[in-house]
Amino acid sequence: MNKRTARFAIVIAIAAFSCLALGGCGIQDMDEETRKSVGMGLGMLILVASGLGYFISGRYFGRKRQRSAQRKRQQSKKKRR
């Protein structure tokens, strides 16, 4: 399994678990403190996922920008010759 598929599977698993927790599976048996801890846990997961997505997209588009600039430099060198 390549990296992209593994990441996709992890995201799907986290989404499924959070849907189960938010959907109310067994929520009638939970006390107030457990509900708060589940909510805080899900909130932290959302924050971490969005931060990770921001970091990864910055690296991806940064590399893309660098490659584009490098290609432009190479093309301008070829035109000068």
Side-chain angles (χ1 to χ4, degrees):
M1 199 167 26
N2 61 16
K3 288 181 183 180
R4 181 174 286 173
T5 307
R7 287 181 191 154
F8 187 68
I10 290 170
V11 169
I12 294 296
I14 290 171
F17 288 129
S18 63
C19 285
L20 287 174
L22 290 174
C25 295
I27 202 162
Q28 62 272 16
D29 298 332
M30 287 187 196
D31 60 343
E32 190 63 30
E33 192 62 35
T34 307
R35 284 188 198 133
K36 285 182 183 178
S37 64
V38 168
M40 287 294 288
L42 290 174
M44 293 302 285
L45 279 175
I46 290 168
L47 288 174
V48 168
S50 60
L52 186 64
Y54 180 74
F55 174 73
I56 290 171
S57 69
R59 288 183 59 194
Y60 173 77
F61 289 112
R63 274 193 246 124
K64 193 172 179 181
R65 245 188 334 271
Q66 288 174 351
R67 280 190 226 123
S68 176
Q70 185 179 13
R71 277 191 221 112
K72 286 179 183 178
R73 281 192 299 264
Q74 288 174 350
Q75 287 175 354
S76 69
K77 284 182 183 177
K78 286 180 183 177
K79 288 180 182 178
R80 285 187 220 158
R81 292 180 185 178

XYZ file of all heavy atoms in Angstrom:
630
model
N 0.851 -1.174 0.000
C 0.000 0.000 0.000
C 0.900 1.243 0.000
O 1.795 1.363 0.819
C -0.868 -0.048 1.259
C -2.053 0.820 1.173
S -3.371 0.605 2.410
C -2.666 -0.066 3.840
N 0.665 2.154 -0.920
C 1.510 3.341 -0.964
C 1.089 4.356 0.102
O 0.094 4.183 0.794
C 1.501 3.965 -2.363
C 0.114 4.397 -2.789
O -0.785 4.509 -1.978
N -0.042 4.654 -4.063
N 1.879 5.398 0.233
C 1.657 6.376 1.306
C 0.307 7.071 1.187
O -0.373 7.296 2.176
C 2.771 7.421 1.295
C 4.089 6.912 1.767
C 5.113 8.021 1.755
C 6.472 7.520 2.164
N 7.469 8.582 2.150
N -0.067 7.409 -0.024
C -1.323 8.138 -0.222
C -2.517 7.285 0.210
O -3.434 7.769 0.878
C -1.468 8.547 -1.682
C -2.744 9.316 -1.949
C -2.804 9.830 -3.330
N -1.885 10.961 -3.407
C -1.576 11.594 -4.523
N -2.087 11.187 -5.653
N -0.763 12.605 -4.518
N -2.508 6.004 -0.139
C -3.600 5.116 0.241
C -3.647 4.933 1.750
O -4.727 4.921 2.348
C -3.437 3.750 -0.454
O -3.293 3.964 -1.857
C -4.626 2.865 -0.213
N -2.477 4.802 2.374
C -2.424 4.638 3.830
C -2.970 5.880 4.523
O -3.756 5.772 5.477
C -0.994 4.360 4.272
N -2.588 7.044 4.063
C -3.095 8.290 4.655
C -4.606 8.395 4.488
O -5.326 8.804 5.399
C -2.423 9.496 4.010
C -0.999 9.668 4.431
C -0.405 10.881 3.767
N 1.039 10.914 3.960
C 1.879 11.504 3.165
N 1.435 12.128 2.085
N 3.174 11.489 3.415
N -5.078 8.033 3.306
C -6.517 8.089 3.039
C -7.263 7.146 3.973
O -8.309 7.505 4.521
C -6.775 7.731 1.567
C -8.192 7.924 1.141
C -8.737 9.194 1.051
C -8.987 6.838 0.838
C -10.052 9.375 0.660
C -10.300 7.003 0.447
C -10.825 8.277 0.355
N -6.722 5.942 4.179
C -7.361 4.970 5.073
C -7.389 5.489 6.507
O -8.387 5.311 7.220
C -6.626 3.640 4.999
N -6.323 6.142 6.946
C -6.277 6.698 8.298
C -7.323 7.789 8.470
O -8.031 7.833 9.472
C -4.864 7.212 8.617
C -3.906 6.027 8.760
C -4.853 8.058 9.880
C -2.450 6.423 8.832
N -7.434 8.654 7.485
C -8.422 9.736 7.553
C -9.838 9.175 7.587
O -10.686 9.636 8.366
C -8.236 10.710 6.362
C -9.400 11.670 6.252
C -6.936 11.463 6.504
N -10.096 8.153 6.784
C -11.425 7.529 6.769
C -11.725 6.885 8.120
O -12.842 6.999 8.644
C -11.526 6.485 5.634
C -11.442 7.170 4.273
C -12.795 5.661 5.748
C -12.579 8.120 3.977
N -10.731 6.220 8.709
C -10.932 5.575 10.011
C -11.232 6.607 11.094
O -12.139 6.423 11.912
C -9.703 4.754 10.388
N -10.487 7.703 11.098
C -10.726 8.762 12.086
C -12.116 9.362 11.894
O -12.845 9.611 12.861
C -9.629 9.835 12.007
C -8.307 9.269 12.522
C -10.014 11.077 12.796
C -7.116 10.180 12.297
N -12.503 9.569 10.640
C -13.831 10.125 10.370
C -14.929 9.169 10.827
O -15.934 9.595 11.399
C -13.976 10.418 8.884
N -14.722 7.874 10.611
C -15.728 6.893 11.033
C -15.864 6.869 12.550
O -16.976 6.848 13.083
C -15.353 5.516 10.512
N -14.735 6.890 13.253
C -14.787 6.885 14.711
C -15.441 8.157 15.248
O -16.219 8.104 16.193
C -13.391 6.715 15.314
C -12.835 5.334 15.154
C -11.579 5.150 14.641
C -13.582 4.221 15.516
C -11.054 3.877 14.492
C -13.070 2.944 15.373
C -11.799 2.764 14.851
N -15.133 9.285 14.643
C -15.735 10.527 15.118
C -17.234 10.560 14.815
O -18.018 11.077 15.602
C -15.036 11.741 14.520
O -15.183 11.750 13.118
N -17.648 9.994 13.682
C -19.078 9.932 13.376
C -19.812 9.048 14.381
O -20.924 9.356 14.786
C -19.302 9.404 11.968
S -18.923 10.615 10.692
N -19.186 7.946 14.761
C -19.812 7.081 15.759
C -19.960 7.808 17.091
O -20.993 7.708 17.749
C -18.987 5.805 15.946
C -19.057 4.793 14.818
C -18.082 3.649 15.085
C -20.467 4.259 14.660
N -18.925 8.542 17.471
C -18.984 9.257 18.748
C -20.009 10.383 18.702
O -20.748 10.605 19.657
C -17.607 9.811 19.082
N -20.059 11.099 17.582
C -21.005 12.205 17.469
C -22.428 11.716 17.195
O -23.390 12.400 17.495
C -20.568 13.154 16.359
C -19.315 13.963 16.640
C -18.918 14.747 15.400
C -19.523 14.891 17.809
N -22.541 10.528 16.609
C -23.849 10.002 16.253
C -24.682 9.543 17.433
O -25.867 9.302 17.292
N -24.059 9.395 18.572
C -24.828 9.036 19.748
C -24.796 7.573 20.101
O -25.634 7.100 20.865
N -23.854 6.818 19.564
C -23.762 5.396 19.914
C -23.401 5.283 21.385
O -22.301 5.605 21.792
C -22.703 4.694 19.069
S -23.120 4.648 17.335
N -24.339 4.860 22.182
C -24.088 4.669 23.603
C -24.019 5.954 24.391
O -23.537 5.976 25.521
N -24.475 7.055 23.825
C -24.362 8.343 24.511
C -25.292 8.420 25.719
O -25.019 9.142 26.674
C -24.601 9.508 23.538
C -23.976 10.776 24.080
C -26.078 9.714 23.275
C -23.779 11.844 23.068
N -26.361 7.647 25.713
C -27.265 7.688 26.854
C -26.633 7.072 28.104
O -27.039 7.369 29.217
C -28.603 7.001 26.543
C -28.489 5.526 26.223
C -28.231 5.274 24.754
O -27.858 6.160 24.004
N -28.434 4.034 24.337
N -25.613 6.230 27.912
C -24.937 5.611 29.053
C -23.743 6.430 29.550
O -23.134 6.069 30.547
C -24.463 4.207 28.677
C -25.623 3.298 28.322
O -26.733 3.531 28.842
O -25.415 2.379 27.521
N -23.398 7.494 28.849
C -22.237 8.303 29.230
C -22.622 9.350 30.268
O -23.701 9.928 30.202
C -21.659 9.025 28.017
C -20.915 8.185 27.060
S -20.159 9.258 25.820
C -19.763 8.075 24.580
N -21.717 9.604 31.183
C -21.941 10.712 32.114
C -21.403 12.001 31.494
O -20.803 11.991 30.426
C -21.289 10.426 33.468
C -19.787 10.236 33.369
O -19.305 10.010 32.246
O -19.112 10.328 34.401
N -21.631 13.097 32.153
C -21.262 14.410 31.596
C -19.751 14.531 31.375
O -19.310 15.093 30.384
C -21.752 15.507 32.538
C -21.646 16.905 31.957
C -22.524 17.101 30.725
O -23.574 16.464 30.603
O -22.116 17.912 29.872
N -18.961 14.011 32.297
C -17.503 14.120 32.177
C -16.986 13.340 30.960
O -16.102 13.803 30.252
C -16.844 13.589 33.461
C -15.379 13.900 33.570
C -15.091 15.388 33.613
O -15.877 16.148 34.193
O -14.052 15.791 33.042
N -17.547 12.179 30.701
C -17.132 11.381 29.541
C -17.506 12.087 28.247
O -16.730 12.103 27.302
C -17.789 9.989 29.589
O -17.521 9.394 30.856
C -17.254 9.092 28.503
N -18.688 12.675 28.213
C -19.092 13.420 27.015
C -18.147 14.571 26.740
O -17.773 14.821 25.599
C -20.511 13.965 27.190
C -21.574 12.944 27.032
C -22.941 13.587 27.023
N -23.928 12.558 27.286
C -24.916 12.661 28.136
N -25.089 13.780 28.811
N -25.759 11.684 28.311
N -17.749 15.280 27.792
C -16.823 16.396 27.619
C -15.481 15.912 27.112
O -14.881 16.534 26.226
C -16.637 17.144 28.942
C -17.795 18.009 29.327
C -17.509 18.743 30.613
C -18.695 19.565 31.059
N -18.432 20.238 32.334
N -14.989 14.790 27.651
C -13.677 14.299 27.213
C -13.721 13.812 25.768
O -12.774 14.022 25.010
C -13.173 13.195 28.144
O -14.021 12.080 28.094
N -14.825 13.187 25.352
C -14.973 12.762 23.960
C -15.016 13.988 23.046
O -14.366 14.026 21.999
C -16.232 11.892 23.776
C -16.550 11.688 22.301
C -16.056 10.546 24.457
N -15.765 14.992 23.451
C -15.838 16.221 22.656
C -14.500 16.929 22.554
O -14.112 17.398 21.485
N -13.772 16.981 23.666
C -12.441 17.604 23.639
C -11.488 16.806 22.754
O -10.698 17.376 22.002
C -11.874 17.712 25.054
C -12.526 18.768 25.898
S -12.201 20.419 25.273
C -10.486 20.587 25.706
N -11.574 15.493 22.830
C -10.725 14.640 21.999
C -10.993 14.849 20.523
O -10.068 14.978 19.716
N -12.266 14.909 20.162
C -12.623 15.148 18.758
C -12.190 16.537 18.310
O -11.713 16.718 17.188
C -14.121 14.962 18.559
C -14.629 13.532 18.668
C -16.147 13.514 18.600
C -14.040 12.678 17.584
N -12.352 17.508 19.182
C -11.915 18.859 18.847
C -10.417 18.930 18.616
O -9.944 19.578 17.671
N -9.667 18.242 19.461
C -8.205 18.216 19.295
C -7.827 17.507 17.998
O -6.908 17.941 17.300
C -7.538 17.535 20.491
C -7.680 18.303 21.788
S -7.009 19.964 21.697
C -5.283 19.596 21.746
N -8.526 16.419 17.666
C -8.253 15.728 16.402
C -8.511 16.636 15.208
O -7.752 16.642 14.239
C -9.112 14.467 16.283
C -8.621 13.236 17.003
C -9.652 12.113 16.895
C -7.298 12.768 16.438
N -9.568 17.402 15.268
C -9.887 18.323 14.178
C -8.801 19.380 14.039
O -8.350 19.698 12.934
C -11.274 18.965 14.396
C -12.367 17.917 14.207
C -11.500 20.147 13.457
C -13.733 18.352 14.658
N -8.360 19.933 15.170
C -7.296 20.941 15.124
C -5.990 20.367 14.592
O -5.311 20.989 13.765
C -7.066 21.533 16.519
C -8.155 22.468 17.028
C -7.863 22.870 18.470
C -8.250 23.692 16.146
N -5.632 19.177 15.041
C -4.395 18.547 14.572
C -4.489 18.237 13.082
O -3.540 18.477 12.330
C -4.103 17.267 15.387
C -3.014 16.438 14.743
C -3.713 17.625 16.805
N -5.634 17.720 12.641
C -5.804 17.391 11.226
C -5.729 18.641 10.350
O -5.101 18.621 9.297
C -7.132 16.672 11.009
N -6.342 19.728 10.781
C -6.286 20.944 9.974
C -4.874 21.529 9.963
O -4.403 22.004 8.930
C -7.298 21.972 10.458
O -7.052 22.322 11.791
N -4.189 21.487 11.090
C -2.798 21.956 11.123
C -1.900 21.114 10.248
O -1.041 21.630 9.520
N -2.093 19.796 10.302
C -1.300 18.897 9.468
C -1.579 19.137 7.988
O -0.662 19.170 7.162
C -1.610 17.446 9.842
C -0.789 16.370 9.172
C 0.675 16.491 9.580
C -1.317 15.001 9.555
N -2.841 19.331 7.644
C -3.191 19.623 6.257
C -2.574 20.922 5.772
O -2.086 21.009 4.647
N -2.574 21.934 6.622
C -1.958 23.218 6.272
C -0.459 23.044 6.057
O 0.105 23.557 5.082
C -2.227 24.231 7.383
C -1.634 25.589 7.133
C -2.204 26.448 6.206
C -0.499 26.007 7.803
C -1.672 27.698 5.962
C 0.055 27.251 7.572
C -0.540 28.086 6.650
O 0.008 29.310 6.412
N 0.197 22.293 6.938
C 1.632 22.067 6.830
C 1.972 21.288 5.558
O 2.871 21.669 4.812
C 2.127 21.305 8.065
C 3.559 20.894 7.995
C 4.565 21.832 8.123
C 3.892 19.563 7.804
C 5.893 21.453 8.065
C 5.221 19.181 7.737
C 6.225 20.124 7.864
N 1.228 20.213 5.295
C 1.501 19.384 4.122
C 1.236 20.147 2.834
O 2.018 20.074 1.883
C 0.675 18.086 4.176
C 1.218 17.182 5.282
C 0.696 17.344 2.850
C 0.359 15.978 5.565
N 0.149 20.907 2.785
C -0.138 21.661 1.565
C 0.905 22.742 1.337
O 1.276 23.009 0.197
C -1.536 22.272 1.620
O -1.597 23.295 2.587
N 1.396 23.359 2.408
C 2.452 24.355 2.262
C 3.722 23.753 1.690
O 4.373 24.342 0.826
N 4.068 22.564 2.154
C 5.250 21.887 1.625
C 5.037 21.499 0.172
O 5.924 21.675 -0.663
C 5.578 20.646 2.453
C 6.141 20.979 3.813
C 6.528 19.763 4.581
N 7.537 19.004 3.850
C 7.886 17.769 4.143
N 7.305 17.146 5.139
N 8.803 17.144 3.438
N 3.855 20.973 -0.157
C 3.567 20.536 -1.527
C 3.615 21.706 -2.501
O 4.304 21.665 -3.511
C 2.194 19.865 -1.581
C 1.738 19.543 -2.986
C 2.246 18.455 -3.661
C 0.815 20.352 -3.641
C 1.849 18.163 -4.950
C 0.409 20.072 -4.928
C 0.924 18.974 -5.573
O 0.537 18.700 -6.855
N 2.892 22.768 -2.178
C 2.857 23.908 -3.087
C 4.173 24.672 -3.078
O 4.540 25.291 -4.076
C 1.678 24.822 -2.761
C 0.361 24.205 -3.127
C -0.546 23.823 -2.158
C 0.043 23.973 -4.449
C -1.756 23.240 -2.494
C -1.168 23.388 -4.805
C -2.062 23.015 -3.821
N 4.904 24.635 -1.971
C 6.225 25.256 -1.935
C 7.185 24.559 -2.876
O 7.927 25.198 -3.633
N 7.181 23.221 -2.841
C 8.031 22.457 -3.762
C 7.610 22.696 -5.207
O 8.453 22.799 -6.101
C 7.955 20.964 -3.449
C 8.934 20.539 -2.393
C 9.042 19.025 -2.342
N 8.508 18.600 -1.065
C 7.533 17.738 -0.870
N 6.970 17.147 -1.887
N 7.114 17.436 0.333
N 6.313 22.787 -5.429
C 5.806 23.024 -6.780
C 6.280 24.382 -7.302
O 6.692 24.509 -8.456
C 4.277 22.959 -6.754
C 3.624 22.876 -8.088
C 2.137 22.627 -7.939
C 1.487 22.562 -9.284
N 0.050 22.337 -9.174
N 6.244 25.392 -6.423
C 6.728 26.723 -6.796
C 8.225 26.697 -7.106
O 8.682 27.308 -8.072
C 6.472 27.692 -5.646
C 5.512 28.786 -5.947
C 5.407 29.851 -4.876
N 5.730 29.477 -3.517
C 4.876 28.984 -2.624
N 3.622 28.779 -2.969
N 5.259 28.702 -1.399
N 8.994 25.976 -6.279
C 10.435 25.890 -6.499
C 10.756 25.189 -7.812
O 11.643 25.627 -8.558
C 11.105 25.150 -5.341
C 11.154 25.953 -4.073
C 11.685 25.132 -2.915
O 11.856 23.918 -3.013
N 11.951 25.800 -1.807
N 10.031 24.103 -8.114
C 10.260 23.404 -9.385
C 9.932 24.300 -10.570
O 10.652 24.320 -11.566
C 9.402 22.137 -9.448
C 9.982 20.991 -8.697
C 9.199 19.709 -9.007
N 8.952 19.042 -7.747
C 7.776 18.702 -7.270
N 6.686 18.932 -7.956
N 7.657 18.110 -6.117
N 8.851 25.043 -10.459
C 8.463 25.942 -11.538
C 9.524 27.020 -11.754
O 9.893 27.315 -12.897
C 7.118 26.587 -11.221
O 6.771 27.523 -12.189
N 10.027 27.586 -10.668
C 11.069 28.612 -10.782
C 12.344 28.019 -11.386
O 13.014 28.662 -12.205
C 11.363 29.210 -9.416
N 12.673 26.784 -10.997
C 13.871 26.146 -11.539
C 13.719 25.908 -13.039
O 14.655 26.156 -13.812
C 14.113 24.827 -10.815
C 15.392 24.136 -11.212
C 15.585 22.834 -10.448
O 14.664 22.339 -9.807
N 16.774 22.288 -10.521
N 12.544 25.454 -13.466
C 12.307 25.253 -14.899
C 12.424 26.560 -15.666
O 12.987 26.604 -16.753
C 10.924 24.642 -15.117
C 10.894 23.163 -14.960
C 9.569 22.577 -15.459
N 9.171 21.553 -14.510
C 8.135 21.615 -13.694
N 7.339 22.657 -13.713
N 7.864 20.637 -12.855
N 11.885 27.635 -15.093
C 11.963 28.935 -15.772
C 13.407 29.390 -15.901
O 13.809 29.935 -16.927
C 11.150 29.981 -15.013
C 9.668 29.805 -15.181
C 8.894 30.848 -14.403
C 7.413 30.615 -14.509
N 6.648 31.587 -13.719
N 14.212 29.178 -14.846
C 15.633 29.539 -14.923
C 16.351 28.736 -15.996
O 17.147 29.275 -16.765
C 16.315 29.318 -13.570
C 16.059 30.406 -12.557
C 16.986 30.278 -11.367
N 16.825 29.014 -10.654
C 16.071 28.824 -9.578
N 15.390 29.839 -9.076
N 16.001 27.649 -8.998
N 16.062 27.428 -16.066
C 16.701 26.583 -17.076
C 16.295 27.008 -18.478
O 17.128 27.045 -19.387
C 16.340 25.115 -16.843
C 17.014 24.502 -15.646
C 16.520 23.083 -15.368
O 15.550 22.630 -15.972
N 17.175 22.406 -14.437
N 15.030 27.352 -18.672
C 14.569 27.783 -19.988
C 15.202 29.113 -20.375
O 15.565 29.326 -21.533
C 13.052 27.898 -20.007
C 12.357 26.562 -20.011
C 10.851 26.690 -19.916
O 10.326 27.789 -19.737
N 10.144 25.577 -20.015
N 15.360 30.010 -19.401
C 15.972 31.291 -19.741
C 17.450 31.125 -20.066
O 17.987 31.840 -20.917
C 15.779 32.290 -18.600
O 16.534 31.911 -17.478
N 18.132 30.184 -19.416
C 19.534 29.908 -19.750
C 19.653 29.344 -21.153
O 20.562 29.687 -21.891
C 20.137 28.912 -18.744
C 20.462 29.518 -17.415
C 21.095 28.476 -16.489
C 21.359 29.052 -15.117
N 21.908 28.036 -14.211
N 18.716 28.467 -21.559
C 18.744 27.885 -22.894
C 18.497 28.970 -23.956
O 19.102 28.953 -25.013
C 17.673 26.808 -23.032
C 18.012 25.525 -22.306
C 16.901 24.498 -22.493
C 17.182 23.235 -21.709
N 16.077 22.270 -21.842
N 17.637 29.925 -23.648
C 17.331 30.992 -24.608
C 18.528 31.917 -24.786
O 18.735 32.452 -25.868
C 16.116 31.790 -24.144
C 14.824 31.031 -24.280
C 13.646 31.866 -23.802
C 12.377 31.068 -23.906
N 11.208 31.848 -23.410
N 19.306 32.117 -23.741
C 20.472 32.999 -23.832
C 21.555 32.417 -24.729
O 22.278 33.132 -25.391
C 21.076 33.233 -22.447
C 20.292 34.170 -21.602
C 21.049 34.463 -20.317
N 20.111 34.511 -19.205
C 20.395 34.331 -17.950
N 21.621 34.055 -17.591
N 19.477 34.419 -17.023
N 21.678 31.114 -24.735
C 22.740 30.447 -25.522
C 22.455 30.479 -26.954
O 22.138 30.939 -27.793
C 22.876 28.999 -25.096
C 23.410 28.873 -23.711
C 23.522 27.425 -23.340
N 23.941 27.324 -21.950
C 24.097 26.196 -21.319
N 23.895 25.063 -21.939
N 24.457 26.155 -20.076
